[in-house]
Amino acid sequence: MKADYKNWMPKGMVVSFLGAAILSFLLLLVFGIMPVVGDIGIRRVLGIVFSVTTIILGLVSLWMFLMYRAFSYDGSRQLSKQIVDGIAEYVKVPDGGKCLDVGCGSGALTIACAKRNPKASLVGIDRWGKEYASFSKKLCENNSAAEGVDNTSFQQGDATRLPFEDETFDAVTSNYVYHNIPTKNRQEILLETLRTLKKGGTFAIHDIMSKSRYGDMNSFAKKLKDMGYEEVQLIDTTDGKFMSKWESLWMELSGSTLLVGRK
């Protein structure tokens, strides 16, 4: 049995856009080039419309395919695995302790942290929404079994209102989750996650922390220090750590930052 962590670029989405591009091209042939429509003026307009549509859909399909290939756990680039393993290196859980992974998806980061902390308990939480229908609690459990990991558990929940008491966990982590949540203040979601962290606990949260999405993260890091958090760091992961600047640009991951530290 092999773990199946799926892909951050859903295969169904790639196929759908490719199908739309092919359909648009066929419509271009039928209505824009072939003399099905008698009026030359209308045929020209349809030709322009379907030509532009075909080009746009074709380029989007190509971009999605390249994204799918880059993020694949079975491909040569394995960007997802590199990111997950890189975050897990920062997650330190004492023996008998507990770690929370927010937005666990297919369980990849939860399991990676569980492997590095075999005497701790790892809890993965996710809402498993319809936009990522291939991800589920059962998938996470199957992946844990496939990896031979028995110190994980998974449950459904909301990252904006975590079902845990204050200072429940010795470590908290998350990867590319909060930028997907429609909100005007993602720093509040970070604080909601950190609320569950015990004093002395560590955190490693990775996301696209651009100013347009998160506001001033340097000020936020200072705020955490003023609140008593220690060793708060903002690490740029697009400068060779997890990916190159070029990769971050064409994959629209500019601003990817790892927020790490200790309470």
Side-chain angles (χ1 to χ4, degrees), residues 15-31 50 53-54 57:
V15 173
S16 295
F17 271 84
L18 179 59
I22 293 172
L23 176 60
S24 180
F25 178 69
L26 293 176
L27 291 173
L28 169 63
L29 294 178
V30 173
F31 296 105
F50 288 125
T53 303
T54 299
L57 289 173

Side-chain angles (χ1 to χ4, degrees), residues 51-216:
S51 293
V52 172
T53 303
T54 299
I55 291 171
I56 292 174
L57 289 173
L59 291 174
V60 172
S61 299
L62 176 60
W63 173 75
M64 286 184 167
F65 170 74
L66 293 174
M67 287 274 285
Y68 182 85
R69 189 172 67 173
F71 284 124
S72 173
Y73 274 81
D74 298 321
S76 58
R77 180 62 182 90
Q78 295 187 327
L79 182 58
S80 295
K81 186 177 188 305
Q82 182 174 335
I83 292 173
V84 164
D85 289 345
I87 298 169
E89 290 180 3
Y90 290 88
V91 181
K92 311 297 181 184
V93 191
D95 291 353
K98 295 175 65 178
C99 173
L100 174 66
D101 179 28
V102 181
C104 59
S106 61
L109 181 54
T110 316
I111 293 168
C113 293
K115 287 182 175 180
R116 287 181 170 272
N117 300 275
K119 295 183 179 181
S121 297
L122 282 293
V123 179
I125 188 170
D126 203 302
R127 71 183 186 88
W128 293 299
K130 61 182 180 180
E131 63 270 33
Y132 284 95
S134 61
F135 292 177
S136 67
K137 178 182 177 182
K138 183 62 176 176
L139 175 64
C140 293
E141 292 171 343
N142 289 344
N143 286 337
S144 285
E147 295 281 12
V149 171
D150 60 4
N151 58 331
T152 60
S153 64
F154 302 93
Q155 65 184 76
Q156 192 165 30
D158 186 348
T160 64
R161 294 184 300 276
L162 293 171
F164 305 107
E165 298 293 330
D166 293 358
E167 300 188 19
T168 299
F169 298 96
D170 299 278
V172 295
T173 187
S174 184
N175 182 39
Y176 281 145
V177 174
Y178 306 133
H179 74 275
N180 289 314
I181 300 175
T183 178
K184 293 182 179 179
N185 193 340
R186 290 185 173 85
Q187 293 183 12
E188 285 186 353
I189 306 178
L190 292 178
L191 290 174
E192 168 63 9
T193 298
L194 294 174
R195 173 186 66 77
T196 68
L197 183 64
K198 292 180 181 179
K199 285 182 172 60
T202 60
F203 57 90
I205 300 171
H206 186 235
D207 201 9
I208 308 174
M209 296 179 183
S210 59
K211 193 167 186 177
S212 60
R213 288 184 170 95
Y214 272 87
D216 188 343

